Amino acid sequence: LSFDIVNLQAQREGALGGDGSYLLSARRGYVDWLLALIDRISPLEEKFRPRFFDTFGKVELPLGSDDTLTAYALYARDTNEIDKLGRIDDLRSTYDSLTLGARWRRTLDAASEVDVTPYGSLLQRDRREGEQWDIRDVQRAGVRVDYSRRLARGHTPGAGVDLAWAHGDYDYLETTDPFPELEATSAPIRVEADVRSIVATAYAEDNWQIGRDIGLVWGGRVLAGSGASATISPRIAAAWRAATPLTLRVAWGRYIQPVDASNLPVEGGITESQAPERASHAIAGAEWSVGRHATVRAEAYAKEYRDLVGRVRDVGRKSSFVLLPLPTSGRAYGGEMLVQRATGSASFSGGYALSVARVRRREREVPRDFDQRHSVVANGSWHLSDSLALNAGWRFHTGTPLTPVAFVPSDDPAKPVPVLGDENSERTPSFHSLDVRLTKQFKWTTWQMTAYVQVMNAYFRNNVQEYSYDPEQGFAQVEESFLPFTPTFGLIASF
């Protein structure tokens, strides 16, 4: 059992039928109860009622000496209500999802095995905000078969096929005006679609161990379906232990993402299945062991994206005032380094990452919405005794891009004219925060308990998440911030 400031979780696992096993878990968040209590003590200007619940079950049973059956199920429900006082664009949303699956593994002989995995999922969404809505009912079912065999001279080839059917019923309406309080200037996005699709994929690969110091994995995947011609994506990766403390790795591949009935990007006005999105990745890295207690890892990457479809809708609290042409391609590149060291009762790690992510719209390349150029992390853990530990973590990253907006007076003082600046030409302020946790373990004969207290944003940093523009204040810019200084606590009991 575990309990903290936002949720309660119960989990049980054990043996089943001698050689089998099971795992059951359930979780219920009670942020809605907490916010209701805060509202009763000190009334909030806006009323929030977020609720979530999920449950998971897994069973594994041996069926004789050569067969194993595994089955699992996951159900989750997420609801939210936001009552914006004095406004009509209140939010009501419900998300339900159910995932079912099973895996039958058959050992054919000492060197080969086959897996048969049927699966299915249901997703229902009903999100309404003012005069906008997003209603979806999506079903997906399929079966996957994988085969592998160990051969001589270090080869382990494998192959598999996956056949998936999907049906999606979409009803979507989004107002595309920069500010709904002002005059309408553009038509909304309206999609009603009932779509079915079948997607088939097949792959083949070989995991080749060349001596003691070189490993090579190579292969390819073919995708077909949803009205698109067959698409091939080759991949290769290699690792070389160049010296006792040094390992070098490289990888390259092409990847394809189907756009079918299960993930139709209606936010971009898409009404039917599309040709798959494509990407290519190239990665090179090294890992160096420094003595017995420290490691240094470095990696550089370059990625390209083509045939992009749709967009990701930002459902934050800020005004969704930027609706730009759909991106057609993009790229990302960067590098990162991580240093880890453990000595006695303490361990430390620190890392830096440079990341550039850009997207192309109408022959112009601009930063992607989630581009964070520089990131730094530093973590430390100290075992103060056998049952008491102190952990601290500090994070930093540069701000995310944003598009500036200015409000020009009009004949109606209550309805200025919004003028957008260059897309993603400015950024929010940099983010940094320190979190500290103290953990204490208690052990008894038949059970044990772990208790912790934690402080997030320990030095009261005001980190800006985004900006909104308040019509009740003449569309003045308002900061929407991440968590302030926040103390939390939790308990975990094991029986």
Side-chain angles (χ1 to χ4, degrees), residues 243-262:
T244 300
L246 179 64
T247 301
L248 304 177
R249 295 183 175 88
V250 294
W252 174 86
R254 290 179 177 172
Y255 300 84
I256 47 180
Q257 173 64 47
V259 182
D260 60 18
S262 66

Side-chain angles (χ1 to χ4, degrees), residues 189-212:
I189 295 177
R190 182 73 174 102
V191 173
E192 291 182 276
D194 190 334
V195 187
R196 289 172 171 79
S197 63
I198 296 178
V199 175
T201 60
Y203 76 92
E205 65 178 18
D206 180 29
N207 191 327
W208 185 14
Q209 186 66 38
I210 307 172
R212 297 178 55 187

